[in-house]
Amino acid sequence: MINNIIDLIRQPWSWYVSGLVIAAIMATLLLWGKQFGFSSNLRTICAMCGAGKKVSFFNFNWKDQKWNLLFLAGAILGGLISGTLLRDSSPMNLSSATIIDLKELGISFDGQMNPSQIFDTDFLFSVKGIIVLAGGGFLVGFGSRYAGGCTSGHAISGLSNLQRASLIAVVGFFAGGLIMTHIFLPLIF
């Protein structure tokens, strides 16, 4: 019985299953008057640690956001379980067009979800790797704060609430992703 469940979970699922689950979660959050977003967890964690004593941005009742911290913990635990216990060791089935595109960028596809050429410790501790990761982290943090939320908060929660600001933010996220992919990524690699 357990093996059948694990085999079911390991299989690739259709895209619409995720969509239905996300829609059900969003409907539940709307009924409870909650807003979803991962970047707000950083603010909550800072408030928990007492940052509100020095910076007014962090001075709020963080206990109202415990449910979102639970969601964050579940996402981390789910990632750990899927990356270890449910991991499929067979090479990833990637389209030949994407493999060619990666090769044009100087990235060789090794069958893994994350190419080891970019995500191994040699790259991580190289000057280029530190600049790319620190710069990317800064841009993501700055962008989330400037946009008033992260991609999940705006694209899932904001759009489901029909917020115009979220629509503008999501268009900006996609434009930024296209610019990064077609202009900056070839320059970096």
Side-chain angles (χ1 to χ4, degrees):
M1 173 83 172
I2 289 280
N3 288 337
N4 291 340
I5 294 171
I6 290 175
D7 288 340
L8 176 68
I9 293 172
R10 278 189 176 161
Q11 295 178 27
W13 292 10
S14 296
W15 59 269
Y16 57 81
V17 174
S18 305
L20 290 173
V21 171
I22 290 171
I25 290 170
M26 289 313 306
T28 304
L29 289 175
L30 286 171
L31 286 173
W32 287 344
K34 303 287 186 185
Q35 292 264 339
F36 170 77
F38 260 58
S39 63
S40 60
N41 283 312
L42 180 59
R43 180 179 184 220
T44 304
I45 292 168
C46 289
M48 285 174 53
C49 294
K53 294 174 185 170
K54 297 190 180 206
V55 180
S56 63
F57 177 72
F58 299 113
N59 190 13
F60 70 100
N61 185 8
W62 61 267
K63 292 179 182 179
D64 289 343
Q65 294 296 315
K66 285 191 293 188
W67 69 273
N68 210 4
L69 290 173
L70 184 63
F71 188 84
L72 174 66
I76 293 169
L77 181 62
L80 181 67
I81 290 170
S82 67
T84 55
L85 300 176
L86 300 175
R87 185 178 189 154
D88 185 6
S89 60
S90 60
M92 191 171 105
N93 187 10
L94 194 62
S95 76
S96 57
T98 304
I99 294 171
I100 292 169
D101 288 342
L102 286 171
K103 193 175 285 187
E104 288 175 3
L105 293 172
I107 301 169
S108 58
F109 175 65
D110 57 4
Q112 300 301 310
M113 177 70 78
N114 299 318
S116 58
Q117 184 178 349
I118 302 172
F119 293 96
D120 68 353
T121 53
D122 291 336
F123 181 75
L124 175 66
F125 294 112
S126 70
V127 173
K128 184 179 186 178
I130 291 170
I131 291 170
V132 166
L133 292 172
F138 172 79
L139 290 172
V140 167
F142 175 79
S144 291
R145 180 67 188 111
Y146 186 72
C150 59
T151 53
S152 60
H154 280 297
I156 299 171
S157 189
L159 290 180
S160 68
N161 287 326
L162 303 175
Q163 296 176 2
R164 180 177 292 159
S166 290
L167 178 61
I168 293 167
V170 169
V171 169
F173 295 148
F174 276 96
L178 290 170
I179 290 168
M180 178 63 197
T181 300
H182 294 288
I183 296 174
F184 292 112
L185 194 64
L187 294 174
I188 295 171
F189 294 101

